[in-house]
Amino acid sequence: MREISLIVVHCSATRSNQRFTVDMLRACHNARFHGKGVGYHYYIERDGKVYQTRDEAEVGIHARHYNAHSIGICYEGGLDEKGQAADTRTPEQRAALIALLRSLKMDYPDAEIMGHRELEGVHKDCPSFECSEYRDYFANL
């Protein structure tokens, strides 16, 4: 079993007024990663439905230099209607993300929750919000 020390939160970097379903993500990642599947372990659509898109035992393809010891979560969105970085999480996505993080923290209690942009060497806005809210939440439980 892999040793997990990090849970990385991503956004799909898609506009809030355009859908990017799990099937669209799967097609995109299969093309990008030459048939190796979705790089994230979990994907959360706007309605809050959570899809496991990669087995946790399998190394992800979502955060270069961090994949070996991390779990990747992505939510649909992250850009406003004009294509600018924005926290576009729906109430359903927020609830689903906290429930998923709670479950993962039970399995990996020492894993740190970070946004993709917080990783050293990353120069993106992803996930378009501050993940410190989740670190603070789980630190106070």
Side-chain angles (χ1 to χ4, degrees):
M1 181 164 220
R2 295 189 311 131
E3 184 175 321
I4 303 300
S5 60
L6 192 59
I7 300 168
V8 183
V9 180
H10 301 263
C11 66
S12 63
T14 53
R15 293 177 188 226
S16 60
N17 61 338
Q18 297 173 350
R19 289 301 317 271
F20 194 67
T21 66
V22 70
D23 291 331
M24 295 166 83
L25 173 70
R26 191 171 286 113
C28 176
H29 276 215
N30 271 317
R32 182 176 175 193
F33 301 129
H34 311 288
K36 294 181 181 176
V38 175
Y40 310 111
H41 295 89
Y42 295 94
Y43 188 64
I44 305 171
E45 287 190 354
R46 287 196 189 132
D47 63 2
K49 183 156 173 75
V50 177
Y51 295 88
Q52 183 168 5
T53 49
R54 179 177 286 266
D55 191 282
E56 290 178 20
E58 189 178 353
V59 173
I61 313 169
H62 61 93
R64 185 178 295 222
H65 307 300
Y66 297 91
N67 290 321
H69 62 274
S70 67
I71 298 290
I73 302 170
C74 181
Y75 76 94
E76 179 184 2
L79 301 178
D80 65 19
E81 292 180 2
K82 296 178 183 175
Q84 300 299 311
D87 183 357
T88 63
R89 291 174 295 161
T90 64
E92 295 84 2
Q93 283 175 312
R94 289 173 185 268
L97 182 55
I98 197 78
L100 178 56
L101 288 170
R102 182 179 290 117
S103 175
L104 290 170
K105 286 293 281 180
M106 289 178 70
D107 293 338
Y108 312 106
D110 296 325
E112 185 174 4
I113 300 167
M114 296 186 78
H116 188 201
R117 69 182 179 194
E118 295 179 277
L119 302 177
E120 189 174 333
V122 174
H123 305 287
K124 298 179 178 188
D125 292 321
C126 175
S128 300
F129 70 91
E130 294 295 329
C131 282
S132 58
E133 69 182 80
Y134 295 113
R135 286 193 296 276
D136 294 345
Y137 175 84
F138 287 104
N140 293 321
L141 285 183

